[in-house]
Every structure is written in C-alpha cells, then in structure tokens.
Amino acid sequence: MRSLVEMEQVARTTGPTDDSTDQPQEIGEAEFQAIYREGDRVYFKVGENGPSVDPYGYVWSPSRTPVDDSNPSVASSFEHIQGPWYRWSDSY
C-alpha cells in the first residue's frame, strides 16, 4: 500500500513490449518478480503459489473493474484495494 504512488508511475509508463518487465524490480518498498501490461491493465507479480503455477500480486486497471476474461484454463480473481488498484491471483 505504501508503494502505490511509485507503482502507478511505473504502470503509466509500462509498454506492451517492455523487455525489462520480466526482471525482478524494486519499486518503493515492494519487490516484484515481473511487471507487464495486458491491454489496459498492468500486472505487478509478487510471487507464485505452488511450484511456479499460480501467480499473484497486484493489478492497476484505471479504465474499468477487471474481470476474468483470460484463457478458460485459468481462473483469475480480483479484489478491490482502492482507486484503480486490485489484488490479483490466477489459478491453473
């Protein structure tokens, strides 16, 4: 929560093909395994549950409330935190 301002700055500048997004990054007081854009959302991956299977973290979605519109073999869930920020997790 304390790093949301810094995270939003990164989210606004993350492009769809930014090569540095799949490298661990520290933003404010938080560390992320990956940061990437999918459409109008930017994902901040914190980690994975299980052996590299179920990613989780935060998503910045300023345009709309995110919904599970992913591949049918993946169940995505989103929990609102504040403003355009949501907790996110995928289950395969």
Side-chain angles (χ1 to χ4, degrees):
M1 294 297 291
R2 290 179 266 199
S3 300
L4 290 182
V5 171
E6 293 94 340
M7 290 167 63
E8 185 162 348
Q9 291 171 345
V10 171
R12 291 183 181 281
T13 61
T14 298
T17 59
D18 189 346
D19 292 335
S20 66
T21 60
D22 58 357
Q23 301 291 329
Q25 294 184 35
E26 194 170 309
I27 300 172
E29 297 179 28
E31 187 172 325
F32 302 98
Q33 290 182 355
I35 300 168
Y36 56 93
R37 178 178 290 276
E38 286 186 6
D40 60 352
R41 302 179 198 159
V42 177
Y43 290 80
F44 293 78
K45 181 179 164 187
V46 173
E48 296 171 336
N49 291 318
S52 303
V53 177
D54 297 331
Y56 65 92
Y58 301 94
V59 65
W60 179 73
S61 183
S63 301
R64 60 188 170 93
T65 300
V67 294
D68 183 6
D69 57 2
S70 60
N71 182 322
S73 64
V74 180
S76 296
S77 64
F78 302 94
E79 177 188 344
H80 187 247
I81 300 172
Q82 71 180 41
W85 290 100
Y86 300 81
R87 284 187 186 90
W88 144 77
S89 64
D90 282 349
S91 179
Y92 288 84

